[in-house]
Amino acid sequence: MQLQAKLGASTAQAGRARCAVARPALAGRSTRLVARAAASPQVISRVLPYRVGHGFDLHRLAEGYKLIIGGVEIPHTKGCEAHSDGDVLLHTITDAILGALSLPDIGQLFPDNDPQWRGASSDRFVLEAVKLMQERGYAIGNLDCTIIAQKPKLSPHKGNIKNNLCRLLNADPDVINIKAKTHEKVDSIGEERSIACHAVIMLVHDNIMPPPEDSLAPKNTFGSIRSGDLDFYS
C-alpha cells in the first residue's frame, strides 16, 4: 500500500507538495509508524515556519564492499558493511529530514531486518524523506554535512556528491555544504575501521516568502547574506 493512501486527507492538510517525487511502497510496521505520526493533532495543527533537524550515522568499513557516499561510488579498498548500500551520507541526511519533521527515524521506517531493503540504494530513503517534507509544505533552507573518514580523501569527489544531492533534494547548490575531516588516527574511524557523518538541516515552510524586489535585503533565496555583504562586519 502506498504511503500516500495511508496518510490520506490529514497529510494533505499539513502542507502543499512542491513537486512530485517518486517513492517506494512502505508496508507493515514502517507504514503504521509514519501514519500514526502524520495523524497526530500536534503535528498537523502546528505549522512552524522553520524546522531544524540533526542526523548522524556510522558504518563499519570492510573489504569486499563498495564505498558509496552521497550516491557516488568512491574508489577505495574498503566499503561500508550494511544491510542496504551503506551510504553513510544519505542515511544521515534522511535522518536529519525526518528529525526536523518529528517523524520516526530511518531505522524505524526502513528496518535492517526487512528483506526489501537488502542492498537497496539509499536514494530511495532520501526520496521518501523529501516526499514527506514536501507533503508538509517545507523546502530545504540549508544543509550542512560533515563526513568523518581517515581514508580515502574525499575532496576530489565533493563536486559529484554535491551535484547528486542537489538532484535528490531538489535544492540549489548554494544551500548545500559538504565538509570532510579525518579523525587524527584516533578510535575506529582514525584506524580506518569505520566512517561517520553528521548533518544539520533547516527546513523552511512555503509560507515564508523571499524578500520583495524592492527590499534592501540581498536577493538570494530566503534573503540569505551574500559573502560580500559580510565585509560590513569586518
Side-chain angles (χ1 to χ4, degrees):
M1 180 180 295
Q2 292 292 326
L3 182 60
Q4 179 65 34
K6 276 287 186 182
L7 295 179
S10 63
T11 300
Q13 293 172 359
R16 172 175 59 82
R18 294 172 64 89
C19 67
V21 178
R23 54 184 169 79
L26 298 180
R29 180 168 172 267
S30 299
T31 304
R32 292 195 298 272
L33 283 167
V34 177
R36 190 183 311 133
S40 169
Q42 288 84 0
V43 172
I44 64 175
S45 63
R46 186 174 179 83
V47 179
L48 301 175
Y50 303 99
R51 284 178 172 268
V52 175
H54 172 262
F56 170 78
D57 197 21
L58 180 146
H59 284 301
R60 291 187 183 92
L61 290 173
E63 295 181 355
Y65 294 88
K66 293 180 178 179
L67 181 60
I68 311 293
I69 299 179
V72 176
E73 184 174 344
I74 309 296
H76 193 44
T77 57
K78 298 178 181 180
C80 289
E81 187 178 344
H83 184 68
S84 63
D85 65 2
D87 193 323
V88 68
L89 176 57
L90 294 190
H91 292 182
T92 300
I93 293 171
T94 299
D95 249 354
I97 296 173
L98 294 173
L101 297 171
S102 300
L103 291 175
D105 63 39
I106 188 172
Q108 293 173 279
L109 297 187
F110 310 100
D112 59 11
N113 58 1
D114 190 334
Q116 71 171 313
W117 308 122
R118 185 170 186 81
S121 169
S122 297
D123 289 15
R124 298 173 66 183
F125 308 150
V126 173
L127 291 175
E128 183 62 41
V130 169
K131 181 65 176 179
L132 293 169
M133 174 188 76
Q134 292 171 340
E135 286 174 344
R136 286 155 178 75
Y138 288 91
I140 294 175
N142 76 294
L143 169 67
D144 188 28
C145 309
T146 303
I147 307 165
I148 311 170
Q150 194 65 34
K151 289 183 179 179
K153 293 293 185 182
L154 297 178
S155 296
H157 308 285
K158 282 184 179 180
N160 289 337
I161 293 173
K162 186 171 184 176
N163 289 339
N164 195 48
L165 291 184
C166 291
R167 178 185 65 85
L168 290 173
L169 301 171
N170 190 32
D172 190 273
D174 287 346
V175 303
I176 293 178
N177 188 47
I178 301 170
K179 305 188 297 292
K181 297 184 178 297
T182 69
H183 214 244
E184 299 296 336
K185 300 182 179 181
V186 176
D187 296 337
S188 65
I189 299 175
E191 295 170 358
E192 301 176 42
R193 293 186 288 112
S194 65
I195 184 172
C197 184
H198 288 270
V200 177
I201 195 166
M202 181 178 70
L203 307 183
V204 182
H205 198 269
D206 288 348
N207 291 338
I208 305 299
M209 302 297 292
E213 289 301 318
D214 58 351
S215 171
L216 294 179
K219 302 301 190 294
N220 283 7
T221 305
F222 306 121
S224 56
I225 297 176
R226 297 170 297 190
S227 58
D229 297 319
L230 296 177
D231 294 341
F232 176 82
Y233 300 98
S234 59

